[in-house]
Amino acid sequence: MKIYAVGGAVRDELLGLPVKDRDWVVVGATPQDMLAQGYLAVGRDFPVFLHPQTHEEYALARTERKTGPGYTGFAFHAAPGVTLEQDLIRRDLTINAIARDEAGAIIDPHDGRADLAARILRHVSPAFAEDPVRILRVARFAARFADFTIAAETMALMRGMVAAGEVDALVPERVWQELARGLMEARPSRMFEVLRECGALARLLPELDALWGVPQRADYHPEIDTGVHVMMVIDMAARLGAALPARFAALTHDLGKGLTPAEILPRHYGHEAKSVVLLEAICERLRVPVECREVARLAARFHGDMHRVAELRPETRLTVLERCDALRRPERFELILLACEADYRGRLGWEERDYAPAAAWRAGLGAVRGVDAGAIARATAVRAGRADPQAIARDVSAARVEVLRELKARAASR
């Protein structure tokens, strides 16, 4: 039995990057051998085991054979006779098909180290075309390793896979998993640019793909193209260190601009409400988690109001805070503000501007939360001689509007 470190851990070590997870391949062993040594079996489709102390994953060397469409249509064969080279050739990219033995020697049958040095993402073999998830993985690696390029032959293979309908067989959960991971990379825009280049974006996210070529007003958007703007926004969200819900909101906030009638371009009246409708369709289709869905929905609906806080009446400010449930969930409101800041600063030449509306919204929320609703309820009940919920709600709302009015007056007098 021989054990080899494989995949991302070896790749990242060679790149001088910190290693987060280590994966191992075991050659010359059976499942019974692994269990006898205390490993815990966890693989459902093929033999994978957890180390009894480190809990790292150890997989038996295996081969695979395509049996149906999509990424689940495979038959796997794991046996003591399967070699390391047979296992490595089934992997996606040459930079992920490098192994290191227990003595530290590197096994690199597909010249992955040369591609690391040349900063190239290249497929290992024609078997790449059998698994559509690999399109998403290549796009995600492009977002992680921003200075790498995709080999021309690999891009051609990806385009052929899209044309053959392989992408259409992907299950929603796996698409979301890879998109979410890509959004959390250092330069998420590259993931979507790669998906667009190979044609997969039009199949997976046609609502987003439709934004390229849609013009916006140059005085607000010097970059003009809506698709370019959205890519700048998600990169800005990454620069701001935003959590996934805010990054997803940054990605989807302007979807409605793809539906703007040509005769009113470059203006986009009512695009916020249209964005919400398209966003809901994406969330249903990809089964997006609730928190990401909620933050994205509110950012899409209210990002225009967020930017125009200084122009809003106190009543409108309160309505936005209440619609965002900011009083009960201020932490979620912060995610919405962060997505809006990314939208504001994700424009050509605006990257270093201060997003003043965020401070104004935080001040307004603080003032509203400072209103003693309990004391108002008691006073209203005493005055009316009974507890009247409608009267109490009206008086609390009036008090909140008043503090926002005073806040706006002080800001105007500065």
Side-chain angles (χ1 to χ4, degrees):
M1 184 171 81
K2 293 183 178 180
I3 297 176
Y4 301 87
V6 294
V10 180
R11 176 200 66 223
D12 290 347
E13 284 179 347
L14 292 172
L15 287 171
L17 299 174
V19 174
K20 296 179 181 179
D21 300 303
R22 295 184 185 275
D23 293 316
W24 307 84
V25 162
V26 182
V27 176
T30 66
Q32 292 72 28
D33 294 331
M34 302 297 288
L35 295 173
Q37 295 189 38
Y39 288 81
L40 176 66
V42 294
R44 183 178 63 181
D45 299 320
F46 46 81
V48 178
F49 303 84
L50 297 183
H51 191 281
Q53 278 80 48
T54 66
H55 303 293
E56 292 175 338
E57 288 192 357
Y58 286 67
L60 298 188
R62 65 187 187 270
T63 60
E64 61 187 24
R65 177 172 53 85
K66 184 75 167 174
T67 59
Y71 87 101
T72 59
F74 289 91
F76 298 95
H77 172 66
V82 177
T83 66
L84 175 65
E85 288 71 19
Q86 286 176 310
D87 183 276
L88 292 177
I89 200 171
R90 68 174 181 78
R91 295 178 181 269
D92 52 5
L93 299 173
T94 60
I95 65 171
N96 297 329
I98 309 171
R100 177 173 45 77
D101 68 18
E102 293 174 282
I106 294 294
I107 299 93
D108 182 20
H110 305 290
D111 296 323
R113 283 179 294 182
D115 283 341
L116 283 176
R119 296 297 195 260
I120 293 175
L121 300 174
R122 189 192 314 274
H123 65 283
V124 172
S125 75
F128 178 99
E130 297 176 352
D131 185 356
V133 170
R134 290 176 170 174
I135 292 176
L136 293 167
R137 281 174 56 82
V138 170
R140 174 164 60 83
F141 281 123
R144 178 181 300 180
F145 302 117
D147 59 338
F148 279 57
T149 58
I150 298 174
E153 61 270 27
T154 301
M155 179 57 71
L157 197 59
M158 291 163 61
R159 290 195 182 106
M161 294 165 68
V162 173
E166 279 286 334
V167 170
D168 303 327
L170 286 167
V171 297
E173 292 86 354
R174 193 60 194 272
V175 174
W176 169 252
Q177 180 185 40
E178 292 296 330
L179 290 177
R181 294 177 71 180
L183 280 170
M184 294 307 295
E185 298 292 1
R187 191 174 156 196
S189 64
R190 289 208 68 210
M191 179 177 203
F192 299 96
E193 289 163 358
V194 168
L195 292 176
R196 183 167 177 260
E197 185 178 353
C198 72
L201 191 64
R203 304 300 257 291
L204 298 172
L205 290 172
E207 303 89 346
L208 180 65
D209 187 68
L211 298 182
W212 273 267
V214 175
Q216 303 168 104
R217 288 177 56 181
D219 48 344
Y220 288 110
H221 288 278
E223 70 286 349
I224 299 178
D225 190 289
T226 305
V228 172
H229 165 61
V230 171
M231 295 299 98
M232 294 179 71
V233 173
I234 59 175
D235 283 349
M236 179 57 67
R239 175 180 163 184
L240 295 172
L244 177 60
R247 296 195 193 200
F248 180 62
L251 179 72
T252 56
H253 76 285
D254 264 351
L255 295 175
K257 290 182 177 179
L259 299 179
T260 300
E263 60 269 20
I264 69 169
L265 291 173
R267 299 179 183 276
H268 294 275
Y269 302 118
H271 78 276
E272 295 91 347
K274 296 175 184 176
S275 295
V276 172
V277 174
L278 294 176
L279 168 67
E280 293 290 0
I282 290 174
C283 290
E284 286 298 319
R285 189 168 70 244
L286 299 185
R287 300 173 192 172
V288 175
V290 172
E291 185 180 21
C292 290
R293 181 186 300 220
E294 290 179 348
V295 172
R297 181 193 303 119
L298 293 168
R301 176 62 185 85
F302 293 113
H303 65 274
D305 290 324
M306 293 291 183
H307 298 333
R308 296 189 299 271
V309 61
E311 305 167 21
L312 301 182
R313 297 182 302 115
E315 294 83 356
T316 305
R317 289 194 192 188
L318 180 61
T319 297
V320 172
L321 289 170
E322 290 176 340
R323 292 279 299 277
C324 291
D325 204 11
L327 280 78
R328 291 194 314 120
R329 301 187 61 181
E331 72 291 339
R332 190 181 69 180
F333 189 63
E334 283 295 327
L335 293 172
I336 298 167
L337 283 179
L338 197 56
C340 292
E341 179 177 354
D343 173 37
Y344 179 84
R345 295 174 59 185
R347 311 180 194 204
L348 191 63
W350 292 37
E351 295 89 346
E352 304 306 322
R353 292 192 183 187
D354 177 54
Y355 187 57
W361 281 108
R362 291 186 186 108
L365 177 58
V368 168
R369 296 186 79 194
V371 171
D372 191 340
I376 293 173
R378 290 190 293 272
T380 302
V382 168
R383 187 170 60 252
R386 63 185 179 87
D388 183 343
Q390 289 185 334
I392 291 171
R394 182 184 62 244
D395 290 350
V396 170
S397 181
R400 289 170 173 171
V401 168
E402 185 57 33
V403 298
L404 289 173
R405 181 173 288 111
E406 292 170 0
L407 197 64
K408 183 175 182 179
R410 287 199 300 272
S413 65
R414 293 194 187 107

